[in-house]
Amino acid sequence: MEFGILGPLSLVDSDGRSCAPGALKLKILLANFLVRPNRTMSTHQLIEEIWGGFPPRTATTALQVYISNIRKILGEGGSRTEQSSILTRPPGYVFELAGHGSDLHRFEQERDEAGRLEAAGDTEGAARLLRTALRRWRGRALADVRCTPRLTAAARRLDELYIASYEKSIELELMMGRDAELVGELYALAGEYPARERVHEFLMVALYNTGRPGEALQAYMSIRNALSEQSGLAPSHRLRGLQQAILSRSIDVLSIRPQSPMRSIA
């Protein structure tokens, strides 16, 4: 089976057929297992995720039925044996990902390898591999099950993982001098993330380096206004310094330097 959470929940069998559950409660159960693979989730945690604070008296029995249904979807015949991917482990259940594929797991592998390439000095290889990894996203992670506390928190973590990885890919490409190629993409990204400082920093640098200092200063004004409206905060010292560098035409200050190396994802 190939599981997908980098977008709406998906499940594809070995023949390429989609077999994700349609019922929301089954989706919530499966999604909880997928964001915490190989770790035990208690019966209480799963019941709380599926029914919130008002579970029926039969919740434990119903959960057992849902587990059986998921096993059947996985082609395991509802089995409770050790051959099943979902094992009964006190105080609840554990989903073992071994033997299956996951878009998140593949993304993490590619991102970690890009980090190793960057550390080895292969900027172009790292940027190319990050772009490949980012194409695994099919939309907002867990888009159709952002309806429980744990899944909402997991989705937000994945949102941050996506944009941080996207920023890193752009950082690497700007280091390679691809400013002109990235301006349009950065404008679109700044529109999607109007208060994201690193995105606007990259946009300002790309605009300045392509002979558009006026637009670079307008980009600074845009994020300054967005930050003020959303949180009452001012741009960071780093971003204010970039504005001053543009005003004084301090070209050496405008070269892109890595903010931090990529780290493995725990």
Side-chain angles (χ1 to χ4, degrees), residues 112-150:
D112 290 348
E113 178 59 25
R116 286 187 283 271
L117 290 173
E118 180 195 10
D122 186 358
T123 303
E124 184 172 358
R128 187 186 309 114
L129 188 54
L130 265 182
R131 286 285 183 172
T132 298
L134 287 165
R135 284 194 288 271
R136 294 194 180 277
W137 250 261
R138 296 168 287 111
R140 296 179 72 204
L142 299 167
D144 52 346
V145 288
R146 291 185 174 216
C147 53
T148 76
R150 286 180 183 275

Side-chain angles (χ1 to χ4, degrees), residues 4-31:
I5 62 174
L6 303 182
L9 184 68
S10 70
L11 177 56
V12 178
D13 66 17
S14 57
D15 295 322
R17 295 173 299 193
S18 175
C19 52
L24 180 58
K25 286 183 171 60
L26 288 181
K27 283 186 174 183
I28 290 171
L29 176 60
L30 181 57

